[in-house]
């Protein structure tokens, strides 16, 4: 059974830092592109960042230069280092796996974690 | 970036009724569109990918159609567990973006 379990959320002051983790099981983690997607309270979904199985990395403009995505295939884990946090970064952060269609990884998300809440407030 | 506009914002229906949700893209996304269902306190669940393909384990009452800029998610007969928020998402251009969602509520 595929499982993605996020951790590391919490309350942080503006300008502060936080590191999120996503521990994955039930699939060959190293073969998949992984993503972070966030959802502000009562709002819609926003793609944040991706890391491919070849370690190509992409960021939304809203977090570029402040967030860093990484992965540790030996630990089946995905990370998001968040620096210079702002109030508008307040959201539930989900890790999500890319869908693979006929051997091709595509940017739809077929498995999601339960999310971890990040609150940026003084 | 491509903007996806979903309508209506809220759909009030009774169990057993047919639900028709719309997603319109600001430019063509070909058929590279997905639909997700999200219930309160839960993560989104992939329902439909590439406009009309049901994801694994999704009941046949869910169907998707459309291409280019106009897409539809149809739930043929609403079950009690289908009352939720539905989002569309494209993968046609970078970055992938989501629509604002349609809430399907019990009338």
């Amino acid at each position: 059974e595929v499982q993605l379990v996020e951790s590391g959320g919490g309350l942080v002051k503006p300008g502060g830092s936080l590191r999120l983790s996503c521990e994955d099981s039930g699939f060959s983690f190293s073969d998949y592109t992984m993503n972070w997607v966030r959802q502000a309270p009562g709002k819609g979904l926003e793609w944040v960042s991706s890391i491919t199985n070849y370690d190509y990395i992409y960021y939304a403009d809203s977090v570029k230069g402040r967030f860093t995505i990484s992965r540790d295939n030996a630990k089946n884990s995905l990370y998001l280092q968040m620096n210079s946090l702002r109030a508008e970064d307040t959201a539930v952060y989900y890790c999500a796996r890319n869908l693979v269609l006929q051997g091709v990884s595509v940017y739809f998300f077929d498995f999601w974690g339960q999310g971890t809440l990040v609150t940026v407030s003084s | 970036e491509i903007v996806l506009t979903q309508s209506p914002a809220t759909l009030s229906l009774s169990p057993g009724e047919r639900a028709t949700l719309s997603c319109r893209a600001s430019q063509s996304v070909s058929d590279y569109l997905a639909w997700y269902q999200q219930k309160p306190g839960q993560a989104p669940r992939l329902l439909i990918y590439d406009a009309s393909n049901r994801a694994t384990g999704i009941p046949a009452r869910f169907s998707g159609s459309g291409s280019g800029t106009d897409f539809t998610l149809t739930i043929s007969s609403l079950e009690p567990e289908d009352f939720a928020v539905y989002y569309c998402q494209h993968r046609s251009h970078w970055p992938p973006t989501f629509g604002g969602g349609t809430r399907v509520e019990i009338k």
Side-chain angles (χ1 to χ4, degrees):
Chain A
E1 179 192 5
V2 173
Q3 283 198 314
L4 290 71
V5 181
E6 301 96 336
S7 61
L11 175 63
V12 61
K13 289 181 168 53
S17 298
L18 214 52
R19 188 191 195 213
L20 306 184
S21 300
C22 175
E23 192 168 329
D24 305 326
S25 60
F27 66 102
S28 182
F29 177 78
S30 61
D31 291 339
Y32 282 83
T33 292
M34 299 298 298
N35 305 269
W36 290 98
V37 178
R38 68 184 180 183
Q39 186 170 36
K43 303 296 185 182
L45 300 162
E46 179 188 18
W47 170 82
V48 172
S49 182
S50 297
I51 183 167
T52 74
N53 53 331
Y54 296 107
D55 287 341
Y56 291 108
I57 287 173
Y58 307 94
Y59 297 103
D61 287 345
S62 57
V63 307
K64 202 172 293 183
R66 301 187 298 121
F67 289 11
T68 302
I69 192 172
S70 62
R71 65 192 298 161
D72 184 337
N73 291 335
K75 295 183 178 179
N76 289 341
S77 291
L78 176 72
Y79 305 102
L80 187 68
Q81 177 66 43
M82 303 186 295
N83 298 332
S84 303
L85 282 161
R86 307 166 179 168
E88 54 265 36
D89 296 318
T90 294
V92 174
Y93 285 73
Y94 296 100
C95 64
R97 190 183 82 168
N98 261 31
L99 177 68
V100 173
L101 296 177
Q102 297 176 324
V104 178
S105 179
V106 300
Y107 282 85
F108 294 141
F109 312 119
D110 63 348
F111 283 95
W112 300 62
Q114 84 289 350
T116 187
L117 176 62
V118 173
T119 303
V120 184
S121 174
S122 55
Chain B
E1 130 177 350
I2 292 176
V3 175
L4 298 178
T5 302
Q6 293 188 240
S7 62
T10 303
L11 200 51
S12 298
L13 295 168
S14 300
E17 289 194 294
R18 183 184 189 89
T20 303
L21 288 66
S22 174
C23 177
R24 177 163 289 178
S26 59
Q27 64 187 84
S28 176
V29 297
S30 185
D31 60 354
Y32 299 137
L33 190 103
W35 291 92
Y36 299 84
Q37 176 193 68
Q38 187 178 33
K39 298 178 182 179
Q42 295 186 17
R45 177 173 70 143
L46 179 65
L47 299 176
I48 301 287
Y49 64 89
D50 286 350
S52 61
N53 298 282
R54 275 189 301 277
T56 303
I58 301 304
R61 64 181 181 274
F62 292 93
S63 63
S65 63
S67 66
T69 60
D70 290 293
F71 299 86
T72 300
L73 174 70
T74 301
I75 311 170
S76 59
S77 178
L78 283 163
E79 297 288 340
E81 62 267 27
D82 299 336
F83 292 92
V85 179
Y86 293 83
Y87 294 96
C88 57
Q89 179 232 326
H90 82 86
R91 65 174 180 95
S92 174
H93 297 73
W94 202 258
T97 57
F98 293 85
T102 290
R103 179 180 305 276
V104 178
E105 64 176 26
I106 299 176
K107 188 173 181 180

